[in-house]
């Protein structure tokens, strides 16, 4: 068991946009035992494969500074394949991996650039962001960790033989970020069949952004972050494969309703819930039938529910 440093900050939750689209969706006659866990929309069958998938949220972010290469390296060392990250864009058009739209919480930007408040990611060049220390806020042992570019991050995930749950963060601030993200993924070799079917999911709180990604690359697995009503779920099933809600907003009946729909790839839709960092909640959502659990403390969740 890893020990959480005192410097670890609580996760910040951002709101989401419910943009509802027209259309109808098919309902699935789901056979939980038939899921393979390897293709788009594997359905409600992960429990039969050893428990929910465990996603290391921003890397192993309970134990290392979030969204850094250190955090995904630690997740790898702890035995976790799936890591989650957040993608935003610099002033000069480079995609970087950071959660907040300001650099203030997780870097030393206020000390290095004291006159640049409110220190928005989009107000700094990639070269300026590369100068920042993104680790010492979390612990002295991480002093000097940097904010990685998306390409640096993907290359490390590839080196670690991990899988990526990529979140397009606040796309309304960065027009065209969906196509640019796909371009970086393509240049890194991550849009071939092997990656697309087994190692990559793209998600967002913006339904419009998820729909754009699906339109540009219909073969990609996508996820919407939020908790649509049961009545609205069929509209999302037109352009996404997964609905990924905050754990406090769901019930077993709601999860079952998601599983009862065929998603964009014609398979039963899935539910990966967030952010679950304690054993009791992990067991609770497992009992609800979720397919995956997104967590800052993946070891705690794995110890509680198994998972893979």
């Amino acid at each position: 068991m890893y020990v959480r440093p005192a410097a670890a900050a609580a996760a910040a939750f951002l709101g989401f946009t419910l943009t509802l689209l027209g259309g109808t969706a098919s309902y699935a006659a789901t056979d939980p035992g038939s899921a393979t866990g390897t293709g788009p929309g594997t359905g409600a069958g992960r429990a039969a494969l050893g428990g929910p998938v465990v996603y290391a949220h921003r890397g192993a972010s309970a134990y290392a500074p979030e969204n850094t290469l250190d955090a995904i390296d630690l997740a790898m060392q702890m035995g976790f394949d799936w890591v989650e990250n957040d993608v935003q864009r610099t002033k000069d058009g480079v995609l970087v991996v950071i959660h907040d739209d300001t650099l203030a919480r997780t870097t030393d930007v206020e000390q290095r650039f004291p006159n640049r408040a409110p220190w928005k990611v989009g107000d700094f060049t990639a070269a300026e962001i590369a100068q920042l220390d993104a680790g010492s806020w979390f612990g002295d042992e991480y002093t000097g960790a940097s904010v990685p570019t998306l390409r640096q991050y993907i290359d490390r995930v590839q080196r670690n033989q991990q899988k990526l749950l990529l979140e397009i963060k606040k796309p309304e601030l960065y027009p065209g970020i969906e196509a640019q993200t796909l371009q970086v993924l393509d240049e890194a070799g991550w849009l071939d069949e092997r990656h697309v079917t087994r190692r990559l999911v793209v998600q967002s709180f913006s339904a419009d952004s998820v729909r754009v990604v699906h339109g540009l690359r219909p073969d990609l697995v996508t996820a919407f972050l939020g908790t649509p009503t049961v009545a609205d779920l069929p509209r999302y099933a037109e352009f996404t494969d997964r609905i990924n809600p905050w754990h406090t907003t769901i019930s077993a009946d709601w999860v079952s309703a998601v599983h009862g729909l065929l998603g964009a790839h014609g398979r039963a839709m899935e539910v990966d819930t967030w952010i679950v960092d304690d054993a009791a909640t992990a067991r609770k959502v497992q009992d609800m039938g979720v397919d995956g659990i997104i967590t800052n403390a993946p070891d705690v969740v794995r110890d509680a529910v198994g998972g893979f």
Side-chain angles (χ1 to χ4, degrees):
M1 180 75 69
Y2 286 73
V3 178
R4 179 194 298 262
F13 299 117
L14 300 178
F16 54 86
T17 303
L18 289 178
T19 304
L20 301 180
L21 305 174
T24 59
S26 301
Y27 284 81
T30 304
D31 174 9
S34 67
T36 65
T38 60
T42 54
R46 289 176 175 173
L49 299 174
V53 173
V54 179
Y55 297 87
H57 181 244
R58 309 178 201 169
S61 58
Y63 314 115
E66 63 182 62
N67 277 324
T68 62
L69 301 184
D70 292 296
I72 57 175
D73 286 350
L74 181 56
M76 181 265 294
Q77 293 161 18
M78 296 168 72
F80 295 97
D81 291 337
W82 280 98
V83 293
E84 185 267 358
N85 74 351
D86 306 282
V87 177
Q88 300 194 60
R89 189 164 65 204
T90 67
K91 182 179 181 179
D92 53 342
V94 177
L95 297 183
V96 292
V97 176
I98 188 169
H99 177 269
D100 300 0
D101 63 0
T102 173
L103 297 153
R105 180 175 65 88
T106 57
T107 78
D108 61 348
V109 68
E110 294 183 47
Q111 289 72 48
R112 289 184 178 264
F113 299 99
N115 300 317
R116 301 274 296 275
W119 301 288
K120 295 287 188 180
V121 174
D123 291 339
F124 287 78
T125 67
E128 289 171 332
I129 291 176
Q131 300 175 39
L132 302 177
D133 178 345
S136 60
W137 68 274
F138 191 91
D140 290 343
E141 66 271 34
Y142 293 109
T143 298
S146 62
V147 175
T149 66
L150 178 57
R151 180 57 191 266
Q152 289 169 336
Y153 192 98
I154 292 171
D155 287 348
R156 184 62 64 90
V157 173
Q158 179 71 20
R159 191 193 79 175
N160 291 349
Q161 299 183 354
Q162 292 170 301
K163 305 173 185 180
L164 179 59
L165 175 59
L166 183 154
E167 180 181 344
I168 297 176
K169 181 65 64 175
K170 293 204 170 182
E172 66 276 8
L173 298 179
Y174 312 109
I177 192 173
E178 296 87 1
Q180 186 178 2
T181 299
L182 294 176
Q183 180 181 353
V184 174
L185 287 164
D186 192 24
E187 291 170 352
W190 271 67
L191 292 186
D192 63 358
E193 183 179 0
R194 184 171 65 93
H195 286 84
V196 165
T197 58
R198 298 174 181 267
R199 298 182 63 185
L200 178 65
V201 178
V202 177
Q203 65 177 359
S204 180
F205 281 102
S206 166
D208 284 339
S209 188
V210 176
R211 182 166 59 90
V212 168
V213 171
H214 177 67
L216 291 170
R217 285 294 303 237
D219 55 332
L220 266 177
V221 180
T222 59
F224 172 70
L225 285 159
T227 316
T229 66
V230 170
D232 287 331
L233 285 172
R235 306 188 184 200
Y236 291 85
E238 293 292 323
F239 60 90
T240 193
D241 307 285
R242 303 180 183 185
I243 305 293
N244 292 354
W246 188 18
H247 72 88
T248 65
T249 65
I250 62 174
S251 66
D253 287 343
W254 185 89
V255 173
S256 180
V258 176
H259 286 159
L261 283 167
L262 294 179
H265 287 96
R267 299 187 183 186
M269 295 185 75
E270 299 184 5
V271 176
D272 299 326
T273 192
W274 49 274
I275 302 294
V276 176
D277 289 342
D278 66 277
T281 304
R283 288 190 288 267
K284 178 180 178 180
V285 297
Q286 181 186 38
D287 289 344
M288 291 181 186
V290 302
D291 303 283
I293 299 174
I294 303 169
T295 173
N296 299 313
D299 57 329
V300 173
V301 172
R302 181 176 58 193
D303 289 348
V305 302
F308 60 97

